[in-house]
Amino acid sequence: EYLAVDAEYAARFTAGFGERCPALRRVFVFGGGASLAPPLAAPLVVDGRSLRADPEQAPAPAELADDDVVLMLYTSATTGKAKGVMLTVVNLEANQDPSPGWLQLAEDEVILCALPLYNTFALNQCINATVLLGATLVLLPRFEALECLKVVQRYRCTSFPAVPTMLQRLLHHPEVDRFDLTSLRRFCVGAAPVPAPLLALLRQRINRDAVVIHGYGLTESTALVSVIEVTMDESGRIPHAKSIGRALPGIEMRIVDDAGRPAPLDTVGEICIRGPNVMKGYYKAPEATAQALVDGWLHTGDLGTMDAEGYFAIVDRKKDLIIRGGQNIYPADIEEALYRHAAVQEAAIVALPDEELGEVPKGFVALKPGARATPDELLAHCRAELAYFKVPVAIEIRPELPKGPTGKILRRALRA
């Protein structure tokens, strides 16, 4: 019934919007007055600043049942069309409320948010954490490395939720050494594991005592499912390097085979999740819901393993598996090898069709600023690091790899 929107988006409303949304009572436009939201007109559209001046304009809290849908987010669509994920009161209470404690966040945090707010990562680790802790939030409209460097120094930010590609750009920015970043003491990293070279550089350039927590979660699980503190031993090795940690309290995780049966330890299978954090379902998509939720278990589409200590590790997305002449190839294995090359900043592997072998891997790489490497050099590096069948048939160097709004590299765009 109420809509809060930035002026730049309100300006995009088309004729008849009000008629198509008869239940809409009011549109609060921030960053500009109602005149910036044609063709809607007052009193339906009002300047959002009036909420600060007159809080009585805000609606009263709604009475809600535990199973009521209170939040709907859309999946990031890294593998296909985005779907609306329906999250309930219980989902949020069971998962978002304890998240600050799971992430070791303190009341005096100054959290830098450069993630999109329609994603569960930012909503949970930035907006929700700030409100629950009474902490401070420094909010940027989008990620831009130089701007992040400036605001960390200006506001003495202490926590930075990010994906590894964001940290890579920050630490390899040509002006990084101009800024005092020592206030950053905590990094909450999602979407991909933290490579050892990145962790070493982070501690060298920012804070040798910084705490780095890698979290695994997805929209369908409300937010976090497991976390692990990323550390480095004296030899420069990261224990449990590929691990996403153990299941958080109240959440069950298991690995299943293609038939849906629990898989043996250290065997690759699909990660499944059960608990009060699991979504109610996909909006107006009963078939997709039935595929994802089976006997109370959420099938994530992520391939992984579990060891004897209960640590889980991501191998890859199920849809990204490459089968080359009967040999299973996980793109993440090749990407990890490419990241060990000193010149590589971003890497992605996709499948190419092959008449003889069915599929073969091809690599896409973006180099660090000022770094040089040729495709032949990178292929030679892969041959030295990998089994012969995992070596890409080709590597293409690009200025930048395509990414979604949360910073994940989009393999589907590279396939296209």
Side-chain angles (χ1 to χ4, degrees):
E1 294 182 353
Y2 293 84
L3 178 65
V5 64
D6 281 344
E8 63 176 299
Y9 295 106
R12 302 179 188 180
F13 291 146
T14 58
F17 176 82
E19 289 74 17
R20 294 195 301 274
C21 303
L24 191 61
R25 296 186 188 182
R26 183 154 295 180
V27 180
F28 294 101
V29 179
F30 290 86
S35 61
L36 295 177
L40 302 180
L44 181 63
V45 179
V46 297
D47 190 334
R49 289 174 295 182
S50 63
L51 271 178
R52 300 187 184 100
D54 182 13
E56 294 298 322
Q57 291 197 53
E63 294 293 330
L64 299 168
D66 287 349
D67 198 44
D68 283 345
V69 175
V70 292
L71 180 62
M72 187 161 75
L73 302 174
Y74 277 78
T75 58
S76 57
T78 54
T79 59
K81 185 177 180 182
K83 297 181 287 290
V85 176
M86 298 185 291
L87 301 175
T88 67
V89 172
V90 166
N91 292 153
L92 269 60
E93 288 179 343
N95 195 267
Q96 289 199 359
D97 287 0
S99 284
W102 292 337
L103 298 170
Q104 305 177 29
L105 297 174
E107 293 182 359
D108 64 347
E109 298 290 350
V110 181
I111 301 172
L112 171 58
C113 181
L115 294 161
L117 298 181
Y118 50 79
N119 180 271
T120 187
F121 193 176
L123 281 177
N124 187 37
Q125 299 192 28
C126 299
I127 302 297
N128 178 65
T130 300
V131 172
L132 285 171
L133 294 169
T136 300
L137 182 68
V138 178
L139 182 60
L140 296 179
R142 62 189 58 83
F143 173 74
E144 199 281 316
L146 182 57
E147 188 64 22
C148 283
L149 293 171
K150 291 177 180 177
V151 299
V152 168
Q153 178 171 281
R154 179 178 179 183
Y155 296 106
R156 307 302 295 159
C157 298
T158 62
S159 175
F160 185 27
V163 300
T165 53
M166 294 167 66
L167 296 178
Q168 292 275 15
R169 289 191 179 188
L170 201 72
L171 293 168
H172 290 291
H173 193 278
E175 298 184 51
V176 64
D177 292 330
R178 285 182 44 217
F179 297 92
D180 179 5
L181 309 177
T182 55
S183 62
L184 284 170
R185 64 192 185 200
R186 198 171 313 282
F187 295 84
C188 301
V189 182
V194 180
L198 177 60
L199 180 62
L201 186 60
L202 183 151
R203 291 187 166 165
Q204 174 190 339
R205 289 195 167 183
I206 296 181
N207 187 336
R208 62 186 298 272
D209 297 318
V211 174
V212 179
I213 295 179
H214 177 217
Y216 170 67
L218 54 161
T219 312
E220 291 90 339
S221 66
T222 304
L224 290 169
V225 173
S226 62
V227 298
I228 185 170
E229 185 173 339
V230 185
T231 59
M232 180 177 286
D233 60 24
E234 294 180 356
S235 66
R237 188 182 66 89
I238 295 179
H240 301 289
K242 294 183 179 181
S243 178
I244 55 174
R246 296 184 174 110
L248 289 165
I251 298 173
E252 296 178 76
M253 294 175 66
R254 70 179 185 182
I255 305 293
V256 302
D257 60 21
D258 290 339
R261 298 170 301 210
L265 293 176
D266 300 314
T267 302
V268 175
E270 184 176 11
I271 297 176
C272 293
I273 300 163
R274 184 167 67 179
N277 59 311
V278 171
M279 68 172 179
K280 189 171 186 176
Y282 293 118
Y283 181 64
K284 292 185 178 180
E287 292 183 4
T289 298
Q291 290 177 353
L293 299 176
V294 181
D295 297 328
W297 287 90
L298 171 65
H299 287 245
T300 66
D302 289 322
L303 293 173
T305 60
M306 185 184 77
D307 66 17
E309 297 178 79
Y311 283 92
F312 287 80
I314 294 285
V315 174
D316 227 312
R317 287 289 300 175
K318 196 171 184 179
K319 293 181 179 179
D320 292 329
L321 176 68
I322 300 170
I323 303 177
R324 180 179 189 170
Q327 297 271 24
N328 287 353
I329 299 174
Y330 301 106
D333 289 343
I334 308 174
E335 291 162 3
E336 184 181 357
L338 284 168
Y339 277 119
R340 288 196 287 270
H341 191 284
V344 173
Q345 178 162 292
E346 299 174 349
I349 299 294
V350 302
L352 288 181
D354 184 88
E355 291 185 3
E356 180 182 357
L357 298 173
E359 294 177 320
V360 292
K362 176 180 178 178
F364 293 85
V365 163
L367 302 179
K368 295 173 183 175
R372 293 185 178 183
T374 66
D376 287 343
E377 289 173 3
L378 295 174
L379 286 170
H381 172 78
C382 288
R383 282 191 286 270
E385 295 267 335
L386 298 164
Y388 73 93
F389 67 90
K390 294 183 180 181
V391 176
V393 296
I395 290 179
E396 182 178 325
I397 298 176
R398 293 189 174 187
E400 183 178 352
L401 301 189
K403 286 177 281 294
T406 58
K408 292 181 183 178
I409 296 172
L410 297 178
R411 289 196 185 109
R412 61 183 170 85
L414 294 170
R415 291 190 195 99

